[in-house]
Short mmCIF file of all heavy atoms in Angstrom, two decimals:
data_model
loop_
_atom_site.label_atom_id
_atom_site.label_comp_id
_atom_site.label_asym_id
_atom_site.label_seq_id
_atom_site.Cartn_x
_atom_site.Cartn_y
_atom_site.Cartn_z
N LEU B 199 1.87 -1.21 29.51
CA LEU B 199 2.31 0.20 29.63
C LEU B 199 2.08 0.71 31.06
O LEU B 199 2.89 1.47 31.59
CB LEU B 199 1.55 1.08 28.62
CG LEU B 199 2.01 0.96 27.16
CD1 LEU B 199 0.97 1.53 26.20
CD2 LEU B 199 3.37 1.64 26.96
N LEU B 200 0.98 0.25 31.70
CA LEU B 200 0.71 0.69 33.08
C LEU B 200 1.69 0.07 34.07
O LEU B 200 1.99 0.65 35.12
CB LEU B 200 -0.74 0.35 33.46
CG LEU B 200 -1.81 1.25 32.84
CD1 LEU B 200 -3.20 0.64 33.01
CD2 LEU B 200 -1.77 2.65 33.45
N ALA B 202 4.81 -0.50 33.40
CA ALA B 202 6.18 -0.03 33.10
C ALA B 202 6.69 0.98 34.11
O ALA B 202 5.94 1.79 34.63
CB ALA B 202 6.21 0.57 31.70
N LYS B 203 8.02 0.90 34.35
CA LYS B 203 8.68 1.94 35.15
C LYS B 203 8.97 3.14 34.28
O LYS B 203 8.82 4.28 34.67
CB LYS B 203 10.01 1.38 35.67
CG LYS B 203 9.91 0.80 37.06
CD LYS B 203 11.32 0.52 37.59
CE LYS B 203 11.26 -0.52 38.69
NZ LYS B 203 12.46 -1.34 38.73
N ASN B 204 9.49 2.85 33.07
CA ASN B 204 9.86 3.92 32.14
C ASN B 204 9.24 3.67 30.76
O ASN B 204 9.92 3.25 29.84
CB ASN B 204 11.39 3.97 31.98
CG ASN B 204 12.08 4.45 33.23
OD1 ASN B 204 11.79 5.53 33.74
ND2 ASN B 204 12.99 3.62 33.74
N PRO B 205 7.94 3.94 30.66
CA PRO B 205 7.31 3.73 29.34
C PRO B 205 7.68 4.86 28.37
O PRO B 205 7.73 6.02 28.75
CB PRO B 205 5.81 3.77 29.66
CG PRO B 205 5.71 4.63 30.88
CD PRO B 205 6.99 4.43 31.67
N VAL B 206 7.94 4.48 27.14
CA VAL B 206 8.27 5.47 26.10
C VAL B 206 7.43 5.20 24.86
O VAL B 206 7.22 4.04 24.47
CB VAL B 206 9.78 5.42 25.75
CG1 VAL B 206 10.09 6.30 24.53
CG2 VAL B 206 10.63 5.87 26.92
N ILE B 207 6.96 6.28 24.24
CA ILE B 207 6.26 6.17 22.96
C ILE B 207 7.19 6.71 21.88
O ILE B 207 7.59 7.87 21.92
CB ILE B 207 4.94 6.99 22.97
CG1 ILE B 207 4.06 6.56 24.15
CG2 ILE B 207 4.21 6.83 21.64
CD1 ILE B 207 2.85 7.45 24.37
N ILE B 221 -1.37 10.85 20.63
CA ILE B 221 -0.09 10.43 21.19
C ILE B 221 0.20 11.26 22.45
O ILE B 221 0.62 10.73 23.49
CB ILE B 221 1.05 10.60 20.14
CG1 ILE B 221 0.92 9.57 19.02
CG2 ILE B 221 2.44 10.53 20.80
CD1 ILE B 221 1.19 8.13 19.42
N VAL B 222 -0.02 12.55 22.36
CA VAL B 222 0.21 13.43 23.50
C VAL B 222 -0.72 13.06 24.66
O VAL B 222 -0.29 13.00 25.81
CB VAL B 222 0.03 14.92 23.08
CG1 VAL B 222 0.15 15.84 24.29
CG2 VAL B 222 1.05 15.30 22.01
N GLU B 223 -1.97 12.77 24.32
CA GLU B 223 -2.93 12.38 25.36
C GLU B 223 -2.52 11.07 26.03
O GLU B 223 -2.55 10.94 27.26
CB GLU B 223 -4.32 12.24 24.71
CG GLU B 223 -5.45 12.05 25.74
CD GLU B 223 -6.81 11.84 25.08
OE1 GLU B 223 -6.94 12.12 23.86
OE2 GLU B 223 -7.74 11.40 25.79
N LEU B 224 -2.12 10.09 25.21
CA LEU B 224 -1.70 8.79 25.76
C LEU B 224 -0.48 8.95 26.67
O LEU B 224 -0.44 8.39 27.78
CB LEU B 224 -1.38 7.82 24.61
CG LEU B 224 -0.89 6.42 25.01
CD1 LEU B 224 -1.98 5.66 25.78
CD2 LEU B 224 -0.46 5.62 23.78
N ALA B 225 0.49 9.74 26.23
CA ALA B 225 1.69 9.97 27.04
C ALA B 225 1.30 10.62 28.37
O ALA B 225 1.84 10.27 29.43
CB ALA B 225 2.68 10.86 26.29
N SER B 226 0.36 11.53 28.30
CA SER B 226 -0.05 12.24 29.52
C SER B 226 -0.76 11.31 30.51
O SER B 226 -0.45 11.32 31.70
CB SER B 226 -0.90 13.44 29.11
OG SER B 226 -1.80 13.78 30.13
N VAL B 227 -1.69 10.48 30.05
CA VAL B 227 -2.40 9.59 31.00
C VAL B 227 -1.46 8.51 31.55
O VAL B 227 -1.67 8.01 32.67
CB VAL B 227 -3.68 8.93 30.40
CG1 VAL B 227 -4.72 9.99 30.07
CG2 VAL B 227 -3.38 8.09 29.18
N LEU B 228 -0.41 8.18 30.81
CA LEU B 228 0.53 7.14 31.26
C LEU B 228 1.71 7.72 32.04
O LEU B 228 2.42 6.99 32.74
CB LEU B 228 1.12 6.39 30.06
CG LEU B 228 0.29 5.35 29.35
CD1 LEU B 228 0.97 4.94 28.06
CD2 LEU B 228 0.06 4.13 30.26
N GLY B 229 1.95 9.03 31.90
CA GLY B 229 3.20 9.60 32.40
C GLY B 229 4.37 9.04 31.60
O GLY B 229 5.46 8.81 32.14
N ALA B 230 4.15 8.83 30.31
CA ALA B 230 5.19 8.26 29.44
C ALA B 230 5.92 9.37 28.69
O ALA B 230 5.42 10.48 28.55
CB ALA B 230 4.56 7.30 28.42
N LYS B 231 7.14 9.04 28.26
CA LYS B 231 7.90 10.00 27.46
C LYS B 231 7.62 9.77 25.97
O LYS B 231 7.29 8.67 25.55
CB LYS B 231 9.39 9.82 27.74
CG LYS B 231 9.76 10.40 29.09
CD LYS B 231 11.16 10.04 29.50
CE LYS B 231 11.47 10.64 30.86
NZ LYS B 231 12.44 9.80 31.60
N ILE B 232 7.78 10.85 25.21
CA ILE B 232 7.64 10.76 23.75
C ILE B 232 9.03 10.97 23.15
O ILE B 232 9.72 11.91 23.52
CB ILE B 232 6.68 11.85 23.22
CG1 ILE B 232 5.27 11.64 23.77
CG2 ILE B 232 6.66 11.85 21.69
CD1 ILE B 232 4.28 12.75 23.40
N VAL B 345 -6.29 2.18 28.92
CA VAL B 345 -5.39 2.66 29.97
C VAL B 345 -6.21 3.33 31.09
O VAL B 345 -6.00 3.07 32.27
CB VAL B 345 -4.34 3.65 29.38
CG1 VAL B 345 -3.61 4.39 30.49
CG2 VAL B 345 -3.35 2.90 28.50
N LYS B 349 -6.26 1.69 34.87
CA LYS B 349 -5.18 2.33 35.63
C LYS B 349 -5.31 2.22 37.16
O LYS B 349 -4.29 2.38 37.84
CB LYS B 349 -4.90 3.75 35.14
CG LYS B 349 -5.69 4.87 35.69
CD LYS B 349 -5.31 6.13 34.90
CE LYS B 349 -6.20 7.27 35.22
NZ LYS B 349 -5.94 7.96 36.47
#
Side-chain angles (χ1 to χ4, degrees):
Chain B
L199 284 164
L200 285 167
K203 265 191 202 148
N204 291 304
V206 172
I207 305 171
I221 289 291
V222 175
E223 189 182 346
L224 178 64
S226 152
V227 295
L228 282 170
K231 286 170 180 150
I232 297 174
V345 167
K349 86 187 171 78

